[in-house]
């Protein structure tokens, strides 16, 4: 107790905190936002393709469905930490380096995109065959059905998926320290675990909990607003 | 208007195949309300879905407004579908769109300009009586209201044909009548050809001008509703008709009556004005038979009266023959029951 009071009343302590935490928070948010965005950029087309090429859908094609499905499964089964190492040459090719925040983003996107594809797939599969059939009967093209039926009808479910994906990516950013990505998870490991600074551990974990709560709450609220069934 | 020639549909799975439609031939005239009735699994939905090529026929052709539907390219088919409206048993509305945005949907698909779309929606909402609910979501509507949205949506692009697949089967009897009235109204107003698939004879009786009976992949009979009701040929048709005009006598009564000498049971079907003529008294006076009324009913078939009178006649064979001829001469249809 005595110890804690001395620590908290030492201005140098707050100074070091304010140097470490905001920077780490910044890095985490940057990695999470950019990776989630890019993972969706890649994941949505893959998810859509999985759905529309499936049996009895608008463009059935067992080959595309099977090949894409297999690729997704392979990527999803590789442990993240191994993926980071395995991707190093590719990462260097894409962002010019295999360490740092940008490098971490490449690994995060590659690992999250197949997950997103499956989330999108399951959301779009909830759209009833009857509604798709109605659109077909009006002369809608496959592209119109994707844009005006599948995605809008699934938007509530898609939003919930975004919340789940983002929270998953936050958890994964903790491992981004392995390639010098920084972020809150890295602080928790560097200071909290390696240097027995349990105060650092507690603060970063607390911030992460708040972020996760906030994302889940926004996701649920928005999904409810978009849900009209 | 619509010609279906030698249409067959076989569903094949890896293991076996199933014939859902076999050698269907139908002509649906312009402006008709054409009912297609059959039991569950008879092939009705498959047939109507072939008409707009939601289902690909295995052989045969479908010609709508002179276009052979089976020979259109993907793009031509999409264009043609814009002039064939369709409504469904479970409405199939877009849950994420309001009533008016659901009606907007087919117009967006057809690429109408915004201004014309707004104007068209303003015409359609009152037609189906939904001005008040324009901004409601489908989940907030009753079944009947949902089907009204479905109808407005199907009519949006001014189609020449409306296909209805069990459009009233999910609705209660009262709502069914109001939807059927609406269909009749738009049929008359726009001279729209309507094809109705149903398993309820009530629907046929209320609004259809023509009817085809489908049973196990085949059309077993078809024709103007009046003639099919008065003189059904197939067992299925007879069953369907007795579901709306029950005139079966109890078996025990029939057995009792069979014991009586010189007695014959006949059913007399009448249509329209014949219902108001003094036939029974003429029968007794002119043909020398005694008449015992066993059962009778009268109802509307579309807008004409349709009824059946089941009679026991007693007399000599010659008198009975004369009585039947007399009835036939008065434009009544006589069916000898026993
Ligand atoms: N896609 C399909 N694959 C295999 N069999 C089908 C398919 N669609 C319909 N059938 C079969 O065809 C028959 C007729 O179906 P349907 O036209 O839906 O009947 P109805 O609408 O008269 O109840 C049924 O026995 C049904 O099982
Ligand atoms: Mg059906």
């Amino acid at each position: 107790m005595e110890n804690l009071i001395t620590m908290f009343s030492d201005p140098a302590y707050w100074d070091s905190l304010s140097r470490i935490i905001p920077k780490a928070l910044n890095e985490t948010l940057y990695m999470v936002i950019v990776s989630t965005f890019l993972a969706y950029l890649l994941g949505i087309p893959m998810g859509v393709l999985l759905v529309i090429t499936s049996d009895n859908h608008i463009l059935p094609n067992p080959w595309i469905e099977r090949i894409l499905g297999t690729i997704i499964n392979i990527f999803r089964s590789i442990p993240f930490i191994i993926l980071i190492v395995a991707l190093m040459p590719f990462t260097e090719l894409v962002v010019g380096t295999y360490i740092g925040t940008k490098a971490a983003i490449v690994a995060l996107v590659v690992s999250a995109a197949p997950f997103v594809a499956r989330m999108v797939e399951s959301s779009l599969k909830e759209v009833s065959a009857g509604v798709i059939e109605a659109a077909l009967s009006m002369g809608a093209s496959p592209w119109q059905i994707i844009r005006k039926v599948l995605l809008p009808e699934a938007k509530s479910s898609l939003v919930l998926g975004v919340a789940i994906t983002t929270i998953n990516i936050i958890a994964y950013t903790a491992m981004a320290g392995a390639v010098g990505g920084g972020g809150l998870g890295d602080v928790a490991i560097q200071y909290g675990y390696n240097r027995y600074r349990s105060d650092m551990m507690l603060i970063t974990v607390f911030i992460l909990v708040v972020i996760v709560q906030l994302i889940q709450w926004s996701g649920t609220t928005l999904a409810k607003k978009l849900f009209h069934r | 208007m619509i010609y279906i020639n030698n249409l067959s549909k076989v569903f094949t799975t890896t293991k076996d195949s199933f014939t859902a439609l076999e050698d269907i031939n139908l002509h649906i005239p312009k402006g008709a309300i054409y009912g297609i009735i059959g039991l569950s699994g008879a092939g009705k939905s498959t047939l109507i879905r072939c008409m707009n090529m939601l289902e690909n026929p295995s052989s045969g052709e479908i010609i709508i407004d002179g276009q052979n539907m089976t020979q259109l390219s993907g793009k031509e088919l999409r264009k043609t579908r814009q002039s064939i409206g369709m409504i469904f048993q479970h409405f199939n509305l877009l849950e994420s769109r309001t009533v008016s945005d659901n009606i907007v949907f087919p117009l967006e698909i057809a690429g109408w300009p915004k201004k014309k779309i707004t104007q068209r929606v303003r015409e359609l909402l009152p037609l189906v009586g939904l001005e008040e609910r324009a901004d409601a979501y489908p989940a907030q509507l009753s079944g009947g209201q949902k089907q009204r949205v479905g109808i407005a949506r199907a009519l949006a692009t001014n189609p020449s044909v409306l296909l209805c697949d069990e459009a009233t089967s999910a609705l209660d009897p009262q709502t069914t009548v109001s939807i059927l009235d609406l269909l009749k109204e738009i049929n008359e107003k726009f001279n729209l050809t309507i094809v109705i698939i149903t398993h309820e004879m009530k629907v046929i009786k209320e609004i259809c001008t023509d009817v085809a009976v489908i049973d196990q992949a085949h059309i077993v009979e078809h024709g103007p509703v009046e003639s099919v009701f008065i003189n059904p040929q197939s067992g299925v048709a007879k069953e369907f008709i007795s579901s709306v005009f029950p005139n079966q006598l109890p078996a025990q009564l029939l057995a009792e009556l069979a014991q009586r000498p010189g007695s014959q049971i006949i059913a007399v079907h009448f249509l329209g004005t014949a219902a108001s003529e003094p036939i029974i008294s003429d029968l007794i006076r002119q043909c020398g038979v005694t008449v015992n009324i066993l059962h009778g009913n009268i109802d509307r078939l579309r807008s004409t009266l349709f009824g059946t009178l089941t009679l026991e006649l007693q007399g000599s064979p010659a008198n009975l023959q004369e009585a039947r001829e007399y009835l036939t001469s008065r434009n009544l249809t006589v069916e000898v029951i026993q």
Side-chain angles (χ1 to χ4, degrees), chain A residues 27-72:
Chain A
E27 286 162 350
T28 294
L29 291 180
Y30 175 68
M31 281 190 286
V32 170
I33 291 168
V34 175
S35 319
T36 307
F37 177 77
L38 293 176
Y40 267 87
L41 209 61
L42 294 173
I44 289 178
M46 288 196 284
V48 167
L49 208 57
L50 277 176
V51 171
I52 62 173
T53 56
S54 65
D55 209 22
N56 288 324
H57 217 279
I58 53 175
L59 291 172
N61 186 324
W63 281 107
I64 295 183
E65 192 204 7
R66 233 170 278 158
I67 292 170
L68 186 59
T70 309
I71 294 172
I72 288 170

Side-chain angles (χ1 to χ4, degrees), chain A residues 12-34:
Chain A
Y13 172 75
W14 293 105
D15 193 47
S16 77
L17 263 195
S18 69
R19 261 186 299 106
I20 297 162
I21 301 293
K23 179 169 169 286
L25 177 60
N26 224 5
E27 286 162 350
T28 294
L29 291 180
Y30 175 68
M31 281 190 286
V32 170
I33 291 168
V34 175

Side-chain angles (χ1 to χ4, degrees), chain A residues 128 130-131 133-142 144 148-149 152-153 155 226 228-229, chain B residues 49 52 54 78 81-82 84 86 88 92-97 105-106 108-109 137 139 153:
Chain A
S128 83
V131 176
E133 186 145 277
L136 283 173
S137 79
M138 295 170 211
S141 65
Q144 284 174 319
K148 290 179 182 287
V149 181
E153 285 290 289
K155 69 188 168 211
L226 295 173
H228 294 293
R229 230 172 282 165
Chain B
R49 289 159 50 82
N52 61 358
L54 284 175
R78 289 199 287 273
R81 277 174 175 166
Q82 289 167 15
I84 305 173
M86 190 170 195
F88 306 86
N92 298 346
L93 303 177
L94 292 145
E95 307 273 358
S96 62
R97 288 187 178 223
F105 183 73
E108 279 177 16
I109 298 291
Y137 284 93
R153 183 176 73 169

